[in-house]
Each structure stands twice: as structure tokens, then as C-alpha cells.
Amino acid sequence: MSATPQKNRASRRVLAAAAGLATVGALVAAMPAGAHDRGHGHGHGHKSRTVDVQLLSFNDLHGNLEPPAGSAGSVSETQADGTVKSIPAGGVEYLATSLRTARAGHPYSVTAAGGDMVGASPLLSGLFHDEPTIEALNGLDLDVTAVGNHEFDEGATELARLQNGGCHPVEGCYEQGKKFKGADFPYLAANVTAEKTGRPILKPYTVWKKNGVKIGFIGVTLEGTPNIVTANGVKGLKFHDEIETVNKYAKELDRQGVKSIVALIHEGGAPASSSYNYDCDSPGAGDGISGPIVDIAKGITPKVDALVTGHTHQAYVCTVPDPAGNPRMVTSASSFGKVYTDTTLTYDRRTKDIVRTSVKSATSVNHVVTRDQAKATDMTALIARWNTLAAPIANRPQGFISADINGRGSTAPEKPLGNLIADAQLEGLAPADKGGAVVAFMNPGGIRSDLVYAPSGSEGAGVVTYGEAFTVQPFTNMMNVVDLTGAQLVTALQQQVSGSNAASPKILQVSKGLTYTLDLTKAGADRVVADSIRLNGEAIDPAKTYRVAMNEFLAGGGDGFAALGQGTNKLVGPSDLDLFNAYLAAHSTAAAPLAPPATDRITIVQ
């Protein structure tokens, strides 16, 4: 999901947010040889011609080692009677157990991920530049992952360190006598090249081998990564078309005799239902999947046998025909380690290819990583070790709330936590000497969790700790206040629902005093009713100059908000997290906790 990535600043060690767990592992497991003979009449007796390979996969872990709190830590399941049940899910202690249980009895097993393994991570991982997450993924026996956009939050040099190891260049080693060893698995970045050399910055593909069975993995992130990462994170890099890149390397693998190929793509879609067990191949009107991955899947060469995807944090198992008209699986496993996908690939030993016929030979099922199974003790120990190091910072109380304040877990365009964050930014930057802001905007993708009333540790119910506040806003973006004309303000609001955001609107969270109507029955920019926009009751004057507060990601035109990137007379303020914590301290006490703000700024017409 797009969000506001951070720049790597030596002086702010606490504020570094790591890259974001990406699609983690596809376990390739196969039935024992001889279990199935699907030789279509060509089998020769003593040894089965085909072998079933099990591919286990996940995506968008984002450093969530502990179970995510609140609504961000649950999965929707549609029941037989049509009702929807919420199931608590996630946490690497349970993910490890799920994957290890799934692998049992599968001698051919490979685990793959779809990107954003790190970045926008909770404090437990982000405070340590995501070293804890890489260590956990090593323990999960991840075989390969694609890079996601969040792998670039701290730039290509830091990504290379996560791959290759070595202690942080500024903060050094976190544990005495221990050097960070890096990822045991390859990060694949086929469509990310260095501007200077034109070559991929990491391996474009890898080949998994066992007993003569060979499966190639090609990894790409979305071509639009520069639009959703701060400029510093993608400096010196070029991002190329996903289809062209995958097709190019599929041809290269094919020439090397690798006929079975899986693409790991950090781009995704939106299924018609948010339930993980939705039948994506239902024939009803409006069923199926929409979004960028559909056209990508239709354009990728038939040489590729399955697509593991991510980025949209949705769970789906869909069949999208390849360019030759043959069925091909396209899967995604939600986010934060709450779901994993188990795909069976039928490998033909003679052709060295995956058997894909009109009958679905590759079968995929999504499974919930439930919390009613045994915890993996090695992951429990890993979490405890890093929590001990983080505790002095993480447990510091920042404020008090009277109930859950939903952000990530809210599906509404206007989110209570979004209003709270925007209000905090406006209050901190309104004084004349702090920037003189009259309105503040927050991008929805930068809100990474909910504020949850239930305690995460021993702090007590309703207490917001530094670790919890960090989990909401882990990028530690510096705040900017800029001059924008009224006309530019109106254009920015229209860009929420037009241009690159037309198909999937990004509704800015706005500070108190700004109101307008969003008419979803209309199309494009017209969905923002221009003459309804008011600031403190007054219509926006197109010719007037307004001081506008936002994080540096939005001020750079990120997330498709080109108008916000046109600001002048810029003043750089404190970080978004500092303003958020200051607001909590100023507006709440144990006796008078902060209540969830009303969501009455944007009037929705549906």
C-alpha cells in the first residue's frame, strides 16, 4: 500500500522505519514421486512422470512480528449462511507454525513472498532498521521474495545491506558481539535498474532445484514505485514495466532449460469480496478481481506458470487466462502474516514444465494464520530478545484514549484516526513561528494501524505508548508547510479521485475546519463537488494563498497529488510522529482520555 516512506537520517535512530515485510515465502512442496501419474498416456511405469510441488507464499508482512492489534489483526471469513466472521490472525510465532505444519509430508517444498516484507514496520522491527524481520524470515525458511515499494523506504544502499548483511552504517550493531548477517534468501528486483549502469540492482531471478526438479522465480515491484516512495528512497534508480521485464527474463530462463516459472509481482488487485475464502472464479455479475494485476496477468507470457502478487493487502485466489487462453493462478495472501497461500504445481519431469490444462492442475488455497495453534518457540524467543532492546523507548506513555480510534482498520473514506493525525499536524504548525498553517492534509496510506484501547503490554487499557504511536506513523516524515493557491487546493482535492487515483481513490484526511462533499455517483474529478469546499465556513478563494501543512511525501507530490507538490515558501517542521505525540500529551490525561473524533468533515453521497 502506498505510504509515506522515510528518509534515512543519522540523528533520528528511533525514528527509522524499516522497509516493510514483503511477500514472504512460497513453499514448494511436492507429493512423493509415484504418487500421481498424470502422463497423459506417456507414463513409463517405474517412475511417475509428474511430481507435485507445493508452493507456500505470503506478502506484505511489513515487519509485523507480533500479532497486529485491533481490526488490522483480523481476517474476514464468509460462513455457509452468508454471514461474515472476523478471525484474529497473524504474528510470526503462528506464521512459522502454519508454514512448518503445511510443509509436513511434502518433500518438494518452496516458500516465496511477494514483497514489502519490511518497511512501514512497527517499532519492534522499525527501530532496528528491520533487522529483526530479516532474522525472522530466515528462521521461517523463506526461499525467495520480490522487492516491494517499501523495500526502498531507506534507499537502495540500505536494501543491499538487508540482503548482504553488515551493521548499520550510522547506528552500528545493536547487540554486542553480533554482526547482522543479512537475508539467507534472495531479494529479486528484475525491473529495478541503476541509472548509471542500466543493470538490475539485485538478482532478477533465481532457480530453486531439488532432485532434478527446477523452478525459476522472477521478482518485480510495481513500475509506479517512485510515485509512492520519497525521492531519496529511489534516487539513482529506474523502474521498468512489469510485463516486459517478466517476459524478458522468462525467455532467458527458458533458454537455460528452466521451463517451470513463477512470477513474484509486488502489484495486486481488488477481489469483489474482502473475505479470504471468497471464490474469485464465481461467474456472477461483478464477481472476480479488478485492478492493475488483471492486465499484467493477461500480458505475461504463457512461459510463466503462476503469479504470486501483493501490494493491495487483499486475499485472493483467482484464475486469469494467460495470452494463450490457458488458465493460470493469480494469488495474494492479505498482509501482516495473517494468511498464507498453498499452491500445488504439477511438474512434468519430461517437459520440465508445469502441467496447465483446461482442468485446473495448479490448485491454490488461502489459509488463515490462526492464533489458536501452538507458537513457534524460536520466534517467541526472537521477539522477546528484540523487545528487551526496544522496551525503554517503546513503553513510554504518550497519552490516553477512551476507545479504539480506527485508522488502517477503517474502510470509510474519512477515518477517525486520520482526523486526529491531521488535527495534530495543524495544531503543531499553526503558530506563526511554526509555519502559520491554516489546514493540514494526511495521506491515508501513511496510517499504518489503529490506536487500540486494549493494552499491548503492561501499560494498562487506554494508554498510548510510544511504540503504539510509532506503529501508526512509522515513517517519521518531516512536516512541511507551504503556500498553495485556492485553485491548487481545489485541484489537489480533485486529484484524490482523478488521474492516477481515478480507479482507486486516495482520500486525504483533512484537519478540522475543512469540509466538502464527495459525490461517488459521479466520475473522475467531478466526484469532488467544487462549490461545496469550505474552510472554516468560507468558500475557497481560487486566487488567495493558503498555508498548508503536510508530510514531506505529500509535499513532494507523492500518491498522485501533483498539485500539492507545487507549494512554495516551504518551511520544514518537526516529524509527523513528534507532532502526533505532542497532541496526545496536550489533549489527554488518565482522568480525561481523548475520545475518537467525529467523522463529519467529508459528506459522502453514494
Side-chain angles (χ1 to χ4, degrees), residues 82-286:
T83 58
V84 178
K85 178 181 171 187
S86 186
I87 304 173
V92 294
E93 294 160 297
Y94 304 110
L95 179 61
T97 298
S98 288
L99 294 176
R100 289 164 185 170
T101 302
R103 288 172 189 146
H106 291 279
Y108 293 85
S109 178
V110 58
T111 303
D116 277 7
M117 293 297 100
V118 295
S121 306
L123 188 80
L124 177 61
S125 186
L127 185 62
F128 306 107
H129 295 277
D130 281 319
E131 290 181 21
T133 295
I134 298 297
E135 186 183 324
L137 292 173
N138 288 343
L140 288 176
D141 293 323
L142 181 62
D143 288 300
V144 57
T145 183
V147 293
N149 52 290
H150 283 282
E151 263 80 18
F152 295 94
D153 284 354
E154 295 189 52
T157 303
E158 174 63 3
L159 173 57
R161 185 183 76 89
L162 291 180
Q163 175 72 86
N164 300 320
C167 295
H168 193 270
V170 174
E171 293 165 27
C173 301
Y174 295 113
E175 296 176 287
Q176 202 167 352
K178 269 193 183 179
K179 183 182 171 188
F180 174 59
K181 72 187 190 81
D184 290 344
F185 51 90
Y187 259 113
L188 304 181
N191 67 330
V192 187
T193 58
E195 282 178 354
K196 282 183 180 169
T197 65
R199 291 201 295 270
I201 60 164
L202 292 168
K203 287 173 68 166
Y205 60 79
T206 190
V207 180
W208 176 88
K209 300 173 186 171
K210 182 163 185 182
N211 297 340
V213 174
K214 289 194 288 191
I215 297 181
F217 289 88
I218 303 167
V220 296
T221 186
L222 68 154
E223 186 182 7
T225 290
N227 303 326
I228 52 175
V229 174
T230 47
N232 245 27
V234 294
K235 203 172 176 181
L237 304 178
K238 281 187 114 166
F239 291 77
H240 303 271
D241 181 84
E242 304 94 338
I243 298 172
E244 289 174 14
T245 303
V246 172
N247 289 353
K248 169 186 167 182
Y249 286 110
K251 197 180 281 184
E252 193 170 306
L253 281 166
D254 186 63
R255 280 200 303 266
Q256 294 172 17
V258 179
K259 308 294 184 185
S260 300
I261 301 171
V262 175
L264 308 175
I265 304 175
H266 191 71
E267 178 60 289
S273 164
S274 58
S275 291
Y276 85 93
N277 59 337
Y278 165 65
D279 181 0
C280 194
D281 295 337
S282 302

